[in-house]
């Protein structure tokens, strides 16, 4: 779980504090077939406190690997996404503060899901494969007879 103790922030006399955490998702979050998160997700957040609330602004950053959508070779790319969440002591809050802790798991996982690219490319200028002969046009010329 990704938790931050807001009581420790209050006890320090601060109203805002930054944190960098690492997160290893316990389940497959990416819906892109064959795509995987490589290593841990870096979560950078700033928590700002008020009397009954804690506002979180953050960014998730991770590396995704899979098959290039154009040439079918192994590909890897860096992904990042900003997110925000508001935690409250008020009963029924979407993101409650429980026992002085805020749990970042849901907003972080939501940011990972929404940041996943629709395709993975080995490079922006990937030429792909020839639909006729199957040649990887990044490596060799087309073998089709025109």
């Amino acid at each position: 779980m990704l938790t931050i103790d807001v009581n420790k922030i209050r006890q320090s006399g601060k109203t805002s504090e930054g944190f960098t955490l690492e997160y290893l998702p316990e389940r497959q979050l990416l819906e892109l077939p064959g795509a995987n998160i490589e290593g841990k997700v870096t979560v950078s957040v700033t928590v700002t406190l008020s009397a009954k609330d804690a506002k979180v602004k953050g960014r998730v950053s991770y590396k995704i690997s899979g098959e290039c959508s154009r040439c079918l070779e192994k590909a890897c790319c860096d992904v990042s996404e900003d997110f925000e969440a508001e935690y409250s002591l008020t009963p029924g809050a979407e993101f409650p503060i429980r026992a002085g802790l805020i749990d970042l798991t849901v907003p972080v996982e939501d940011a990972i899901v929404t940041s996943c690219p629709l395709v993975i490319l080995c490079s922006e200028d990937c030429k792909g494969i020839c639909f006729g002969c199957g040649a990887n046009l990044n490596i060799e010329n087309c073998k089709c007879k025109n």
Side-chain angles (χ1 to χ4, degrees):
M1 282 193 0
L2 287 165
T3 58
I4 294 176
D5 189 336
V6 295
N7 288 336
K8 285 185 180 179
I9 300 171
R10 286 190 201 285
Q11 290 168 356
S12 73
K14 298 177 185 175
T15 57
S16 184
E17 191 167 341
F19 299 88
T20 299
L21 310 165
E22 288 187 334
Y23 178 57
L24 187 60
E26 296 177 8
R27 60 189 177 92
Q28 175 66 13
L29 296 173
L30 307 179
E31 295 184 14
L32 185 61
N36 293 299
I37 294 174
E38 293 292 318
K40 295 180 180 178
V41 176
T42 300
V43 182
S44 302
V45 296
T46 299
V47 179
T48 304
L49 302 177
S50 63
K52 290 188 176 187
D53 299 324
K55 292 185 182 185
V56 175
K57 289 187 178 186
R59 173 174 278 263
V60 296
S61 303
Y62 60 96
K63 188 175 287 283
I64 186 173
S65 69
E67 205 172 68
C68 176
S69 294
R70 293 181 188 162
C71 70
L72 308 179
E73 295 293 324
K74 184 160 176 59
C76 218
C77 63
D78 293 319
V79 180
S80 61
E81 179 82 6
D82 292 332
F83 69 94
E84 292 184 16
E86 190 167 327
Y87 293 79
S88 179
L89 290 168
T90 306
E94 180 181 8
F95 298 116
I97 299 173
R98 290 192 180 113
L101 300 174
I102 58 174
D103 183 356
L104 299 172
T105 306
V106 171
V108 165
E109 288 187 350
D110 286 349
I112 292 169
V113 169
T114 59
S115 65
C116 180
L118 298 175
V119 296
I120 298 174
L121 299 176
C122 62
S123 71
E124 288 296 322
D125 58 345
C126 175
K127 296 176 185 175
I129 58 173
C130 173
F131 292 113
C133 66
N136 181 338
L137 302 174
N138 297 310
I139 299 171
E140 59 187 318
N141 292 323
C142 174
K143 298 171 188 158
C144 294
K145 295 182 181 179
N146 294 341

